Amino acid sequence: MAMPDFDSLPESLRDTPRTRWAALCERAEGVPDVPDAVLAELPRVFACSDFVATTCERHPDLLVDLAGGDLHAACTLDAYRARLAARLASVEDETGLLRELRRFRRREMVRIVWRDIAGHAQ
């Protein structure tokens, strides 16, 4: 499996993204299964956004989920609505609603920032 190329970054920017990646892999109990295209963008994104790096480190499953295609695809308003509706379909109480809304917001914020830094945003 490919690994992110942190040496592609200026030397002064390599340590933090490399450390975050190592922590992410430790938390995920191995290297997450993400496409090479995502791994190629990861050093730059982690170097430019502490929010994305920290969030992915804490929630490696989020990176795997987004790497399934959403990081490289534009999203319409109807697609956002459908994603949110799917997440909320099984919610049974206010606590569950608030939890799912936080998860949805976190996911979409990481997606937006990643796409912007990686040059996929339009």
Side-chain angles (χ1 to χ4, degrees):
M1 173 170 285
M3 295 292 284
D5 180 14
F6 296 103
D7 291 336
S8 65
L9 296 171
E11 190 172 342
S12 63
L13 298 177
R14 292 178 191 163
D15 288 343
T16 300
R18 187 177 279 133
T19 300
R20 296 283 193 189
W21 173 250
L24 184 157
C25 290
E26 184 176 325
R27 184 170 211 134
E29 298 179 354
V31 176
D33 185 21
V34 297
D36 291 347
V38 171
L39 290 175
E41 296 167 352
L42 188 139
R44 180 177 177 190
V45 173
F46 275 26
C48 293
S49 175
D50 190 55
F51 166 73
V52 171
T54 300
T55 301
C56 290
E57 177 187 337
R58 290 180 183 161
H59 307 279
D61 56 316
L62 176 64
L63 176 61
V64 172
D65 175 40
L66 286 169
D70 287 343
L71 290 176
H72 296 134
C75 188
T76 65
L77 180 58
D78 288 339
Y80 274 116
R81 287 180 178 150
R83 280 186 200 157
L84 183 57
R87 293 212 60 152
L88 299 180
S90 62
V91 170
E92 297 179 0
D93 57 18
E94 183 178 357
T95 302
L97 173 66
L98 295 175
R99 180 182 58 247
E100 288 306 316
L101 288 173
R102 282 191 304 276
R103 288 179 179 167
F104 183 78
R105 178 186 63 211
R106 179 183 328 132
R107 180 188 192 280
E108 295 306 315
M109 291 296 294
V110 167
R111 182 184 169 281
I112 290 166
V113 173
W114 188 294
R115 287 179 47 78
D116 189 33
I117 294 169
H120 302 299
Q122 299 175 21

